[in-house]
Amino acid sequence: MSNTHPDMLALITTLKMAGLTTVILMLIGTPLAWYLAKMKSRSKVFIEALVALPLVLPPTVLGFYLLLLFSPQYLPGQIWQQATGQQLAFSFSAIVIGSVLYSLPFVVQPLQKAFEQLGDDLLEAAAMLGASTFDRFFTVVMPMTKASFITAASLGFAHTVGEFGVVLMIGGNIPGETRVLSIALFDHVEAFDYAQAHLISISLVISSLVLLSLIYLLNRPAKNKRVKSKRFN
């Protein structure tokens, strides 16, 4: 890795961060979205607002408070350092945790809407046939909302790849550890290396456009099926 180009190291770090973050987001976001979709309590509005907060909160604000929490002077940072022997702030683990929090609404909201639109009729029918809770989820809910799962995972991944403020605040700019593509782009602009900045920028634009096009393409058949079923009914 010592002879690897710095921008290639940044790409590898970015993909590792985005991939791990997406897996964690799907594991956390799926039950959270299901809970919110079925929740009837008045506190639902507050929890939804809390989950959606990163959509409107400046990334540096979230990054600043996470930086404080991750430092050895505060309890989360102290617990992490005692458990691992390493400081949490300015580490790869820190940027993954920060990315999970910052990209959470991009996963939860598409899944929550899909679960709400699904309704309870099919689940009740499956329950009457003896299907357990987990069986109903994996054999009824997931196949019916497959497009939303793909959308949620894709948006979570894409949003994580494009992060800058949160990652810079809690991860710094450590090559091979916390230096991601967005920070590499910023470094090239600061150094007036516009040729390399153009290369990174256009690569991110093209990859984002391709990913979004695939999401819309995958969602189109599902919409057409719903329209056809409504016409027949």
Side-chain angles (χ1 to χ4, degrees), residues 14-27 92-93 96-97 100 157 160:
T14 301
L15 293 177
K16 283 171 56 181
M17 177 188 72
L20 183 56
T21 298
T22 303
V23 172
I24 297 173
L25 280 171
M26 297 305 294
L27 292 175
F92 180 77
S93 298
V96 170
I97 296 172
V100 168
F157 184 88
T160 303

Side-chain angles (χ1 to χ4, degrees), residues 126-205:
M128 291 178 64
L129 293 173
S132 65
T133 302
F134 285 102
D135 190 23
R136 294 196 299 270
F137 186 82
F138 286 106
T139 60
V140 178
V141 176
M142 288 192 69
M144 295 287 291
T145 58
K146 181 175 65 175
S148 296
F149 273 95
I150 295 173
T151 299
S154 301
L155 289 177
F157 184 88
H159 187 253
T160 303
V161 168
E163 286 178 16
F164 176 74
V166 173
V167 173
L168 184 61
M169 289 287 285
I170 62 179
N173 190 359
I174 305 171
E177 181 73 17
T178 63
R179 186 176 187 262
V180 294
L181 281 178
S182 57
I183 295 176
L185 171 60
F186 181 76
D187 288 343
H188 287 304
V189 172
E190 273 201 322
F192 298 102
D193 185 4
Y194 292 143
Q196 195 65 21
H198 275 304
L199 180 61
I200 296 175
S201 297
I202 196 64
S203 299
L204 289 172
V205 169

Side-chain angles (χ1 to χ4, degrees), residues 20 24 66-98 170 177:
L20 183 56
I24 297 173
L66 287 177
L67 180 61
L68 293 180
L69 290 174
F70 292 169
S71 66
Q73 287 75 31
Y74 289 82
L75 188 60
Q78 290 175 3
I79 294 174
W80 181 277
Q81 191 159 351
Q82 290 171 3
T84 65
Q86 298 178 344
Q87 180 175 294
L88 180 55
F90 304 111
S91 68
F92 180 77
S93 298
I95 62 176
V96 170
I97 296 172
I170 62 179
E177 181 73 17

Side-chain angles (χ1 to χ4, degrees), residues 34 113-123 140-141 144-145:
W34 182 262
K113 290 179 181 178
F115 295 155
E116 288 173 345
Q117 292 173 0
L118 185 62
D120 297 325
D121 294 343
L122 291 173
L123 295 175
V140 178
V141 176
M144 295 287 291
T145 58

Side-chain angles (χ1 to χ4, degrees), residues 2-3 14 18 25 29 33-34 51 53 62 76 88 94 106 112 130 134-135 147 155 157 195 197 212 220 230-231:
S2 58
N3 295 326
T14 301
L25 280 171
W34 182 262
V51 170
L53 193 60
L62 178 61
L88 180 55
F106 290 87
Q112 182 184 345
F134 285 102
D135 190 23
L155 289 177
F157 184 88
L212 287 172
R220 282 184 64 187
K230 287 180 180 178
R231 286 178 180 174

